[in-house]
Amino acid sequence: MTDEPYSIEVTIAVPVGDVWSALRDPELIRRWHGWHFDGLDKEIEVIYHQNVVESAAEHRLETQGGDLFELTDLDGRTRLRVTRAPRGGDPDWDAYYDDITEGWITFVHQLAFALERHPGADRRTVFLSGAAATPVLEATGLVTVAGLPPASPYELEGPTGETLRGQVRFRSANQVGLTVDGWGDGLLVVAQNPPSPANPGGTAMMVLTTYGLDDAAFAGLESRWNAWWARNFPEATANDQDATAVADPPRGD
């Protein structure tokens, strides 16, 4: 028995050709997909280029796992829809199904943010992930902000002592995305993923995306957030986490 396919949809305020290029050019994909770690280039190759089926004319891309990207031209804007492959085809994929779905939600919003707010710009990221013993929104003090509708302004003292201000960028059932003015108009994604067969206790995750910070400023931000995360989520792994388990979990032969 299979479930009905689950779809993720976002409208991006750039032409469809620009979105298609951002899905096909590895150098452009590096500017929005996931976060930086030693295996990022390999992950991009595996997800977006190995055993995929694509139609440039129709702006359709099917990954080797069966997830389908479809772009629709909306007169200068683009609707991006990702339709998940149904459960039931592969037990290894099924165990990670919910985790992969959450990964795609993060990724499509990263794509939209990068194209709309920072076209052509490189970024630097901090990735934090671990067991969800402590609700991450409570730990960060973002519970109230997470309840605001998209485009709402916010300002608060962040958990590392810096002032965070910007707008609510997006909300989903398990994630919230916030722009952060002080990170060069950056993006903070906070996720509390529910228990799944692959992660029975659930997981907490944060991706901090920055633009234009000098080396000292970025190093300070990275150090503060890693130290805070280690105190609050002691089982966490920071920064060098491989995202492949989210978007491309291991499968049997």
Side-chain angles (χ1 to χ4, degrees):
M1 180 177 179
T2 60
D3 295 337
E4 289 295 319
Y6 177 87
S7 294
I8 304 156
E9 190 172 300
V10 63
T11 299
I12 307 174
V14 300
V16 67
D18 293 346
V19 181
W20 181 251
S21 294
L23 284 170
R24 307 311 302 131
D25 185 334
E27 288 301 314
L28 299 181
I29 296 171
R30 290 187 97 260
R31 291 175 173 165
W32 59 266
H33 173 86
W35 44 87
H36 296 115
F37 69 105
D38 289 343
L40 178 59
D41 291 335
K42 178 181 178 182
E43 176 173 295
I44 289 170
E45 171 65 22
V46 168
I47 295 173
Y48 298 98
H49 290 282
Q50 283 189 8
N51 302 316
V52 303
V53 178
E54 68 172 292
S55 171
E58 298 177 310
H59 298 121
R60 289 166 54 95
L61 175 70
E62 183 174 340
T63 70
Q64 61 178 307
D67 294 336
L68 178 64
F69 286 74
E70 298 174 285
L71 305 183
T72 302
D73 185 356
L74 301 177
D75 293 328
R77 300 186 302 155
T78 303
R79 182 176 67 227
L80 165 61
R81 178 183 291 125
V82 181
T83 303
R84 296 296 328 282
R87 300 177 195 259
D90 185 320
D92 290 324
W93 280 100
D94 288 351
Y96 285 90
Y97 192 91
D98 293 334
D99 300 279
I100 298 169
T101 297
E102 294 299 326
W104 283 136
I105 291 170
T106 300
F107 299 159
V108 299
H109 284 287
Q110 288 178 311
L111 170 59
F113 181 77
L115 288 178
E116 290 182 355
R117 304 281 282 260
H118 296 281
D122 291 323
R123 59 177 182 159
R124 289 204 275 193
T125 62
V126 177
F127 174 70
L128 306 165
S129 176
T134 303
V136 66
L137 289 175
E138 291 184 13
T140 55
L142 294 173
V143 172
T144 300
V145 172
L148 298 174
S152 298
Y154 78 92
E155 181 173 341
L156 53 79
E157 182 177 342
T160 65
E162 64 185 307
T163 298
L164 303 178
R165 66 170 62 88
Q167 289 187 328
V168 178
R169 175 72 184 185
F170 74 90
R171 290 172 51 197
S172 69
N174 300 310
Q175 299 188 37
V176 60
L178 306 172
T179 68
V180 182
D181 294 348
W183 300 349
D185 183 36
L187 181 67
L188 170 62
V189 177
V190 183
Q192 185 85 36
N193 295 344
S196 68
N199 293 293
T203 57
M205 184 273 287
M206 299 178 71
V207 185
L208 290 65
T209 299
T210 72
Y211 293 90
L213 300 187
D214 62 29
D215 291 345
F218 180 78
L221 179 147
E222 184 178 38
S223 176
R224 291 192 303 273
W225 282 88
N226 280 331
W228 173 83
W229 190 267
R231 291 194 301 271
N232 288 273
F233 299 88
E235 297 181 20
T237 56
N239 255 2
D240 58 350
Q241 176 81 13
D242 189 337
T244 305
V246 175
D248 186 54
R251 292 166 290 162
D253 296 329

